[in-house]
Amino acid sequence: MDTQSTMVNMPQARVQEQAGFQVQAMSLKMAKEQGAALEKMLASAQFFADPKMGQNINILA
């Protein structure tokens, strides 16, 4: 094994690893933001509570 190539490849691998961690952190942050936005949207949605809804089925249609 060539020690010089090993010394060059190790820092490159470390940079790639750090870049991978940064991408994961950014995607996790984005997923959390989207989840919070979805929760806010669902909380603000108006649901119609019709007690008769879903009791009848139209089998002729």
Side-chain angles (χ1 to χ4, degrees):
M1 182 186 271
D2 186 14
T3 57
Q4 185 177 8
S5 66
T6 303
M7 292 176 67
V8 170
N9 290 335
M10 286 193 62
Q12 288 176 347
R14 189 167 289 141
V15 168
Q16 288 176 341
E17 183 179 294
Q18 290 297 321
F21 286 145
Q22 291 296 324
V23 169
Q24 285 180 334
M26 289 181 350
S27 64
L28 180 61
K29 180 181 176 186
M30 187 181 306
K32 286 181 180 180
E33 289 173 357
Q34 288 175 346
L38 180 61
E39 285 180 349
K40 183 178 179 183
M41 182 182 68
L42 288 174
S44 68
Q46 295 178 353
F47 295 102
F48 298 104
D50 185 7
K52 295 181 182 178
M53 185 177 283
Q55 292 180 358
N56 299 323
I57 299 173
N58 185 358
I59 59 172
L60 299 176

Short mmCIF file of all heavy atoms in Angstrom, two decimals:
data_model
loop_
_atom_site.label_atom_id
_atom_site.label_comp_id
_atom_site.label_asym_id
_atom_site.label_seq_id
_atom_site.Cartn_x
_atom_site.Cartn_y
_atom_site.Cartn_z
N MET A 1 0.85 -1.18 0.00
CA MET A 1 0.00 0.00 0.00
C MET A 1 0.89 1.24 0.00
O MET A 1 1.84 1.33 0.74
CB MET A 1 -0.91 -0.02 1.22
CG MET A 1 -1.85 1.17 1.26
SD MET A 1 -2.81 1.25 2.75
CE MET A 1 -4.19 0.27 2.29
N ASP A 2 0.55 2.18 -0.82
CA ASP A 2 1.31 3.41 -0.95
C ASP A 2 0.85 4.39 0.13
O ASP A 2 -0.33 4.74 0.20
CB ASP A 2 1.10 3.98 -2.34
CG ASP A 2 1.96 5.20 -2.61
OD1 ASP A 2 2.90 5.44 -1.83
OD2 ASP A 2 1.68 5.90 -3.59
N THR A 3 1.76 4.81 0.99
CA THR A 3 1.38 5.70 2.10
C THR A 3 0.97 7.08 1.61
O THR A 3 0.11 7.72 2.21
CB THR A 3 2.53 5.83 3.11
OG1 THR A 3 3.68 6.31 2.44
CG2 THR A 3 2.80 4.51 3.77
N GLN A 4 1.56 7.53 0.52
CA GLN A 4 1.21 8.86 0.02
C GLN A 4 -0.23 8.89 -0.49
O GLN A 4 -0.98 9.82 -0.20
CB GLN A 4 2.17 9.28 -1.10
CG GLN A 4 1.92 10.70 -1.58
CD GLN A 4 2.94 11.12 -2.63
OE1 GLN A 4 3.72 10.31 -3.10
NE2 GLN A 4 2.91 12.39 -2.99
N SER A 5 -0.63 7.88 -1.22
CA SER A 5 -2.01 7.84 -1.71
C SER A 5 -2.99 7.68 -0.56
O SER A 5 -4.09 8.22 -0.58
CB SER A 5 -2.19 6.72 -2.73
OG SER A 5 -2.04 5.46 -2.12
N THR A 6 -2.59 6.97 0.48
CA THR A 6 -3.44 6.82 1.66
C THR A 6 -3.61 8.16 2.36
O THR A 6 -4.71 8.51 2.80
CB THR A 6 -2.83 5.80 2.64
OG1 THR A 6 -2.65 4.57 1.96
CG2 THR A 6 -3.73 5.59 3.84
N MET A 7 -2.54 8.94 2.45
CA MET A 7 -2.61 10.24 3.10
C MET A 7 -3.47 11.21 2.29
O MET A 7 -4.14 12.08 2.87
CB MET A 7 -1.20 10.82 3.28
CG MET A 7 -0.38 10.05 4.30
SD MET A 7 1.31 10.64 4.43
CE MET A 7 1.04 12.26 5.12
N VAL A 8 -3.52 11.07 0.98
CA VAL A 8 -4.34 11.94 0.15
C VAL A 8 -5.80 11.50 0.23
O VAL A 8 -6.71 12.33 0.31
CB VAL A 8 -3.84 11.92 -1.31
CG1 VAL A 8 -4.83 12.61 -2.23
CG2 VAL A 8 -2.48 12.58 -1.40
N ASN A 9 -6.05 10.21 0.21
CA ASN A 9 -7.42 9.69 0.19
C ASN A 9 -8.15 9.88 1.51
O ASN A 9 -9.36 10.06 1.51
CB ASN A 9 -7.42 8.21 -0.19
CG ASN A 9 -7.05 8.00 -1.64
OD1 ASN A 9 -7.23 8.89 -2.46
ND2 ASN A 9 -6.54 6.83 -1.95
N MET A 10 -7.46 9.85 2.63
CA MET A 10 -8.13 9.99 3.93
C MET A 10 -8.78 11.36 4.09
O MET A 10 -9.95 11.43 4.48
CB MET A 10 -7.18 9.66 5.07
CG MET A 10 -6.91 8.18 5.18
SD MET A 10 -6.10 7.68 6.69
CE MET A 10 -7.27 8.14 7.91
N PRO A 11 -8.09 12.47 3.79
CA PRO A 11 -8.77 13.76 3.91
C PRO A 11 -9.94 13.90 2.93
O PRO A 11 -10.96 14.50 3.27
CB PRO A 11 -7.68 14.79 3.60
CG PRO A 11 -6.40 14.11 3.92
CD PRO A 11 -6.66 12.66 3.58
N GLN A 12 -9.82 13.34 1.74
CA GLN A 12 -10.92 13.39 0.79
C GLN A 12 -12.13 12.63 1.32
O GLN A 12 -13.26 13.09 1.20
CB GLN A 12 -10.49 12.82 -0.56
CG GLN A 12 -9.54 13.70 -1.33
CD GLN A 12 -9.06 13.06 -2.62
OE1 GLN A 12 -9.25 11.87 -2.84
NE2 GLN A 12 -8.42 13.86 -3.46
N ALA A 13 -11.89 11.49 1.91
CA ALA A 13 -12.97 10.70 2.49
C ALA A 13 -13.62 11.45 3.64
O ALA A 13 -14.85 11.42 3.79
CB ALA A 13 -12.45 9.35 2.96
N ARG A 14 -12.81 12.14 4.43
CA ARG A 14 -13.35 12.90 5.55
C ARG A 14 -14.22 14.06 5.05
O ARG A 14 -15.28 14.34 5.61
CB ARG A 14 -12.21 13.42 6.42
CG ARG A 14 -12.70 14.03 7.72
CD ARG A 14 -11.59 14.27 8.71
NE ARG A 14 -11.13 12.98 9.23
CZ ARG A 14 -9.85 12.68 9.47
NH1 ARG A 14 -8.91 13.58 9.28
NH2 ARG A 14 -9.51 11.50 9.92
N VAL A 15 -13.78 14.72 3.99
CA VAL A 15 -14.56 15.81 3.41
C VAL A 15 -15.88 15.28 2.85
O VAL A 15 -16.94 15.88 3.06
CB VAL A 15 -13.76 16.54 2.31
CG1 VAL A 15 -14.64 17.48 1.50
CG2 VAL A 15 -12.60 17.32 2.92
N GLN A 16 -15.82 14.14 2.18
CA GLN A 16 -17.05 13.54 1.64
C GLN A 16 -18.00 13.15 2.77
O GLN A 16 -19.21 13.34 2.66
CB GLN A 16 -16.72 12.33 0.79
CG GLN A 16 -16.08 12.66 -0.54
CD GLN A 16 -15.67 11.43 -1.32
OE1 GLN A 16 -15.53 10.34 -0.75
NE2 GLN A 16 -15.48 11.60 -2.61
N GLU A 17 -17.45 12.63 3.85
CA GLU A 17 -18.28 12.24 4.99
C GLU A 17 -18.94 13.47 5.60
O GLU A 17 -20.14 13.45 5.91
CB GLU A 17 -17.39 11.55 6.03
CG GLU A 17 -18.15 11.04 7.23
CD GLU A 17 -17.21 10.35 8.21
OE1 GLU A 17 -16.67 9.29 7.85
OE2 GLU A 17 -17.03 10.88 9.31
N GLN A 18 -18.19 14.54 5.78
CA GLN A 18 -18.75 15.77 6.35
C GLN A 18 -19.82 16.35 5.42
O GLN A 18 -20.85 16.85 5.89
CB GLN A 18 -17.64 16.80 6.60
CG GLN A 18 -16.70 16.42 7.72
CD GLN A 18 -17.41 16.33 9.05
OE1 GLN A 18 -18.29 17.13 9.35
NE2 GLN A 18 -17.05 15.35 9.84
N ALA A 19 -19.57 16.31 4.12
CA ALA A 19 -20.56 16.81 3.17
C ALA A 19 -21.85 15.97 3.26
O ALA A 19 -22.95 16.52 3.21
CB ALA A 19 -20.00 16.78 1.76
N GLY A 20 -21.70 14.68 3.40
CA GLY A 20 -22.86 13.81 3.55
C GLY A 20 -23.65 14.14 4.80
O GLY A 20 -24.89 14.16 4.78
N PHE A 21 -22.96 14.42 5.90
CA PHE A 21 -23.63 14.81 7.14
C PHE A 21 -24.38 16.12 6.97
O PHE A 21 -25.50 16.28 7.46
CB PHE A 21 -22.64 14.93 8.29
CG PHE A 21 -22.14 13.61 8.81
CD1 PHE A 21 -20.84 13.50 9.26
CD2 PHE A 21 -22.95 12.50 8.87
CE1 PHE A 21 -20.36 12.29 9.75
CE2 PHE A 21 -22.49 11.29 9.36
CZ PHE A 21 -21.18 11.18 9.80
N GLN A 22 -23.78 17.06 6.25
CA GLN A 22 -24.43 18.35 6.04
C GLN A 22 -25.69 18.20 5.19
O GLN A 22 -26.72 18.82 5.47
CB GLN A 22 -23.46 19.34 5.37
CG GLN A 22 -22.33 19.78 6.26
CD GLN A 22 -22.82 20.57 7.47
OE1 GLN A 22 -23.77 21.33 7.37
NE2 GLN A 22 -22.17 20.36 8.60
N VAL A 23 -25.63 17.36 4.17
CA VAL A 23 -26.80 17.13 3.33
C VAL A 23 -27.91 16.47 4.14
O VAL A 23 -29.08 16.85 4.03
CB VAL A 23 -26.42 16.27 2.09
CG1 VAL A 23 -27.66 15.79 1.35
CG2 VAL A 23 -25.51 17.05 1.17
N GLN A 24 -27.55 15.51 4.97
CA GLN A 24 -28.55 14.87 5.82
C GLN A 24 -29.17 15.85 6.80
O GLN A 24 -30.38 15.83 7.04
CB GLN A 24 -27.93 13.70 6.58
CG GLN A 24 -27.69 12.48 5.74
CD GLN A 24 -27.07 11.36 6.55
OE1 GLN A 24 -26.40 11.58 7.56
NE2 GLN A 24 -27.28 10.13 6.10
N ALA A 25 -28.35 16.72 7.37
CA ALA A 25 -28.86 17.71 8.31
C ALA A 25 -29.81 18.68 7.62
O ALA A 25 -30.86 19.04 8.18
CB ALA A 25 -27.71 18.48 8.95
N MET A 26 -29.47 19.08 6.40
CA MET A 26 -30.34 19.99 5.66
C MET A 26 -31.67 19.32 5.31
O MET A 26 -32.73 19.93 5.43
CB MET A 26 -29.65 20.49 4.39
CG MET A 26 -28.52 21.45 4.66
SD MET A 26 -27.62 22.13 3.24
CE MET A 26 -28.13 21.24 1.84
N SER A 27 -31.62 18.06 4.90
CA SER A 27 -32.86 17.37 4.55
C SER A 27 -33.71 17.10 5.78
O SER A 27 -34.94 17.17 5.71
CB SER A 27 -32.57 16.07 3.80
OG SER A 27 -31.88 15.16 4.62
N LEU A 28 -33.10 16.83 6.92
CA LEU A 28 -33.84 16.64 8.16
C LEU A 28 -34.53 17.93 8.57
O LEU A 28 -35.70 17.93 8.96
CB LEU A 28 -32.92 16.15 9.27
CG LEU A 28 -33.55 15.90 10.63
CD1 LEU A 28 -34.63 14.83 10.53
CD2 LEU A 28 -32.50 15.50 11.64
N LYS A 29 -33.81 19.04 8.45
CA LYS A 29 -34.39 20.35 8.78
C LYS A 29 -35.57 20.65 7.87
O LYS A 29 -36.63 21.11 8.33
CB LYS A 29 -33.33 21.44 8.66
CG LYS A 29 -33.83 22.82 8.97
CD LYS A 29 -32.75 23.86 8.80
CE LYS A 29 -33.30 25.25 9.04
NZ LYS A 29 -32.32 26.28 8.75
N MET A 30 -35.42 20.37 6.59
CA MET A 30 -36.49 20.62 5.63
C MET A 30 -37.70 19.74 5.93
O MET A 30 -38.85 20.20 5.88
CB MET A 30 -36.02 20.37 4.21
CG MET A 30 -37.01 20.77 3.14
SD MET A 30 -36.48 20.44 1.44
CE MET A 30 -34.91 21.28 1.40
N ALA A 31 -37.47 18.49 6.28
CA ALA A 31 -38.57 17.58 6.61
C ALA A 31 -39.31 18.05 7.86
O ALA A 31 -40.55 17.98 7.92
CB ALA A 31 -38.05 16.16 6.81
N LYS A 32 -38.57 18.55 8.85
CA LYS A 32 -39.22 19.06 10.05
C LYS A 32 -40.05 20.30 9.75
O LYS A 32 -41.16 20.45 10.27
CB LYS A 32 -38.16 19.40 11.11
CG LYS A 32 -37.56 18.19 11.77
CD LYS A 32 -36.53 18.59 12.82
CE LYS A 32 -35.93 17.38 13.49
NZ LYS A 32 -34.93 17.76 14.51
N GLU A 33 -39.53 21.19 8.89
CA GLU A 33 -40.27 22.38 8.51
C GLU A 33 -41.54 22.02 7.75
O GLU A 33 -42.60 22.60 7.98
CB GLU A 33 -39.39 23.31 7.68
CG GLU A 33 -38.29 23.98 8.45
CD GLU A 33 -37.33 24.76 7.57
OE1 GLU A 33 -37.47 24.74 6.33
OE2 GLU A 33 -36.42 25.41 8.13
N GLN A 34 -41.45 21.06 6.84
CA GLN A 34 -42.61 20.64 6.08
C GLN A 34 -43.64 19.96 6.98
O GLN A 34 -44.85 20.15 6.81
CB GLN A 34 -42.20 19.70 4.94
CG GLN A 34 -41.47 20.39 3.83
CD GLN A 34 -40.97 19.44 2.77
OE1 GLN A 34 -40.92 18.22 2.96
NE2 GLN A 34 -40.58 19.99 1.62
N GLY A 35 -43.17 19.20 7.95
CA GLY A 35 -44.08 18.57 8.90
C GLY A 35 -44.81 19.60 9.74
O GLY A 35 -46.01 19.48 9.98
N ALA A 36 -44.09 20.63 10.18
CA ALA A 36 -44.72 21.69 10.97
C ALA A 36 -45.74 22.45 10.12
O ALA A 36 -46.82 22.80 10.61
CB ALA A 36 -43.65 22.65 11.52
N ALA A 37 -45.41 22.69 8.86
CA ALA A 37 -46.35 23.38 7.98
C ALA A 37 -47.59 22.53 7.74
O ALA A 37 -48.71 23.05 7.71
CB ALA A 37 -45.68 23.72 6.65
N LEU A 38 -47.42 21.23 7.59
CA LEU A 38 -48.56 20.34 7.40
C LEU A 38 -49.44 20.31 8.65
O LEU A 38 -50.67 20.35 8.55
CB LEU A 38 -48.08 18.92 7.06
CG LEU A 38 -49.16 17.87 6.85
CD1 LEU A 38 -50.05 18.26 5.67
CD2 LEU A 38 -48.53 16.52 6.61
N GLU A 39 -48.83 20.26 9.82
CA GLU A 39 -49.60 20.28 11.07
C GLU A 39 -50.39 21.58 11.18
O GLU A 39 -51.56 21.57 11.59
CB GLU A 39 -48.68 20.14 12.27
CG GLU A 39 -48.16 18.75 12.49
CD GLU A 39 -47.24 18.65 13.70
OE1 GLU A 39 -46.84 19.70 14.25
OE2 GLU A 39 -46.94 17.52 14.10
N LYS A 40 -49.77 22.69 10.82
CA LYS A 40 -50.45 23.99 10.88
C LYS A 40 -51.62 24.03 9.90
O LYS A 40 -52.70 24.51 10.23
CB LYS A 40 -49.45 25.09 10.55
CG LYS A 40 -50.02 26.48 10.65
CD LYS A 40 -48.97 27.53 10.35
CE LYS A 40 -49.54 28.93 10.42
NZ LYS A 40 -48.55 29.95 10.06
N MET A 41 -51.41 23.48 8.70
CA MET A 41 -52.47 23.47 7.70
C MET A 41 -53.64 22.60 8.17
O MET A 41 -54.80 22.98 8.04
CB MET A 41 -51.95 22.94 6.38
CG MET A 41 -52.99 22.95 5.27
SD MET A 41 -52.40 22.28 3.72
CE MET A 41 -52.20 20.56 4.14
N LEU A 42 -53.33 21.43 8.73
CA LEU A 42 -54.40 20.55 9.20
C LEU A 42 -55.14 21.14 10.39
O LEU A 42 -56.35 20.96 10.53
CB LEU A 42 -53.82 19.18 9.57
CG LEU A 42 -53.39 18.31 8.40
CD1 LEU A 42 -52.70 17.05 8.91
CD2 LEU A 42 -54.57 17.96 7.52
N ALA A 43 -54.42 21.85 11.25
CA ALA A 43 -55.07 22.48 12.40
C ALA A 43 -56.00 23.60 11.97
O ALA A 43 -57.02 23.85 12.62
CB ALA A 43 -54.01 23.01 13.36
N SER A 44 -55.67 24.28 10.89
CA SER A 44 -56.49 25.40 10.44
C SER A 44 -57.62 24.95 9.52
O SER A 44 -58.48 25.76 9.18
CB SER A 44 -55.63 26.44 9.73
OG SER A 44 -55.15 25.93 8.50
N ALA A 45 -57.62 23.70 9.11
CA ALA A 45 -58.66 23.20 8.20
C ALA A 45 -59.99 23.11 8.93
O ALA A 45 -60.05 22.82 10.12
CB ALA A 45 -58.27 21.83 7.65
N GLN A 46 -61.05 23.38 8.19
CA GLN A 46 -62.39 23.28 8.76
C GLN A 46 -62.98 21.94 8.35
O GLN A 46 -63.05 21.62 7.16
CB GLN A 46 -63.27 24.42 8.25
CG GLN A 46 -62.82 25.78 8.71
CD GLN A 46 -63.71 26.87 8.15
OE1 GLN A 46 -64.57 26.62 7.32
NE2 GLN A 46 -63.50 28.07 8.63
N PHE A 47 -63.39 21.19 9.33
CA PHE A 47 -64.00 19.90 9.06
C PHE A 47 -65.50 20.03 9.24
O PHE A 47 -65.98 20.65 10.19
CB PHE A 47 -63.45 18.83 10.01
CG PHE A 47 -61.98 18.56 9.80
CD1 PHE A 47 -61.03 19.09 10.64
CD2 PHE A 47 -61.57 17.79 8.73
CE1 PHE A 47 -59.69 18.85 10.43
CE2 PHE A 47 -60.24 17.55 8.52
CZ PHE A 47 -59.29 18.07 9.37
N PHE A 48 -66.23 19.45 8.31
CA PHE A 48 -67.68 19.48 8.40
C PHE A 48 -68.13 18.21 9.08
O PHE A 48 -67.91 17.11 8.58
CB PHE A 48 -68.30 19.60 7.00
CG PHE A 48 -67.89 20.87 6.31
CD1 PHE A 48 -66.94 20.84 5.31
CD2 PHE A 48 -68.45 22.07 6.67
CE1 PHE A 48 -66.57 22.01 4.67
CE2 PHE A 48 -68.08 23.24 6.04
CZ PHE A 48 -67.13 23.22 5.04
N ALA A 49 -68.77 18.36 10.20
CA ALA A 49 -69.22 17.21 10.97
C ALA A 49 -70.71 17.00 10.74
O ALA A 49 -71.55 17.41 11.53
CB ALA A 49 -68.93 17.41 12.45
N ASP A 50 -71.05 16.37 9.63
CA ASP A 50 -72.43 16.05 9.32
C ASP A 50 -72.71 14.67 9.90
O ASP A 50 -72.12 13.67 9.48
CB ASP A 50 -72.65 16.06 7.81
CG ASP A 50 -74.10 15.84 7.43
OD1 ASP A 50 -74.97 15.82 8.34
OD2 ASP A 50 -74.37 15.69 6.23
N PRO A 51 -73.61 14.57 10.86
CA PRO A 51 -73.86 13.27 11.50
C PRO A 51 -74.46 12.23 10.56
O PRO A 51 -74.34 11.04 10.79
CB PRO A 51 -74.82 13.59 12.64
CG PRO A 51 -75.40 14.91 12.32
CD PRO A 51 -74.42 15.63 11.43
N LYS A 52 -75.09 12.68 9.46
CA LYS A 52 -75.69 11.72 8.52
C LYS A 52 -74.72 11.24 7.45
O LYS A 52 -75.02 10.32 6.70
CB LYS A 52 -76.90 12.37 7.85
CG LYS A 52 -78.01 12.69 8.81
CD LYS A 52 -79.18 13.32 8.09
CE LYS A 52 -80.28 13.68 9.08
NZ LYS A 52 -81.42 14.32 8.40
N MET A 53 -73.57 11.89 7.37
CA MET A 53 -72.61 11.54 6.33
C MET A 53 -72.06 10.13 6.53
O MET A 53 -71.67 9.77 7.64
CB MET A 53 -71.47 12.55 6.30
CG MET A 53 -70.48 12.33 5.15
SD MET A 53 -69.21 13.56 5.10
CE MET A 53 -70.12 14.92 4.39
N GLY A 54 -72.07 9.35 5.47
CA GLY A 54 -71.50 8.02 5.52
C GLY A 54 -72.46 6.93 5.95
O GLY A 54 -72.08 5.78 6.06
N GLN A 55 -73.72 7.30 6.20
CA GLN A 55 -74.68 6.30 6.66
C GLN A 55 -75.38 5.59 5.51
O GLN A 55 -75.88 4.49 5.67
CB GLN A 55 -75.71 6.94 7.58
CG GLN A 55 -75.13 7.40 8.89
CD GLN A 55 -76.18 8.04 9.80
OE1 GLN A 55 -77.32 8.16 9.43
NE2 GLN A 55 -75.76 8.42 10.98
N ASN A 56 -75.44 6.22 4.35
CA ASN A 56 -76.14 5.64 3.20
C ASN A 56 -75.14 5.34 2.08
O ASN A 56 -74.20 6.08 1.87
CB ASN A 56 -77.21 6.59 2.68
CG ASN A 56 -78.26 6.89 3.74
OD1 ASN A 56 -78.63 6.02 4.50
ND2 ASN A 56 -78.75 8.11 3.76
N ILE A 57 -75.44 4.26 1.35
CA ILE A 57 -74.61 3.88 0.21
C ILE A 57 -75.49 3.80 -1.02
O ILE A 57 -76.55 3.15 -1.00
CB ILE A 57 -73.92 2.50 0.45
CG1 ILE A 57 -73.03 2.56 1.67
CG2 ILE A 57 -73.12 2.10 -0.78
CD1 ILE A 57 -72.47 1.21 2.05
N ASN A 58 -75.08 4.43 -2.11
CA ASN A 58 -75.83 4.39 -3.36
C ASN A 58 -75.28 3.22 -4.18
O ASN A 58 -74.21 3.32 -4.78
CB ASN A 58 -75.68 5.72 -4.10
CG ASN A 58 -76.53 5.77 -5.34
OD1 ASN A 58 -77.21 4.82 -5.69
ND2 ASN A 58 -76.51 6.92 -6.00
N ILE A 59 -76.01 2.14 -4.21
CA ILE A 59 -75.55 0.94 -4.93
C ILE A 59 -76.01 0.95 -6.38
O ILE A 59 -75.60 0.09 -7.16
CB ILE A 59 -75.98 -0.35 -4.22
CG1 ILE A 59 -77.51 -0.42 -4.11
CG2 ILE A 59 -75.33 -0.46 -2.87
CD1 ILE A 59 -78.01 -1.74 -3.61
N LEU A 60 -76.86 1.88 -6.76
CA LEU A 60 -77.40 1.92 -8.14
C LEU A 60 -76.55 2.82 -9.04
O LEU A 60 -76.73 2.79 -10.24
CB LEU A 60 -78.85 2.40 -8.13
CG LEU A 60 -79.82 1.54 -7.33
CD1 LEU A 60 -81.19 2.17 -7.32
CD2 LEU A 60 -79.86 0.14 -7.91
N ALA A 61 -75.69 3.60 -8.50
CA ALA A 61 -74.92 4.56 -9.31
C ALA A 61 -73.83 3.90 -10.10
O ALA A 61 -73.31 2.91 -9.87
CB ALA A 61 -74.31 5.62 -8.42
#
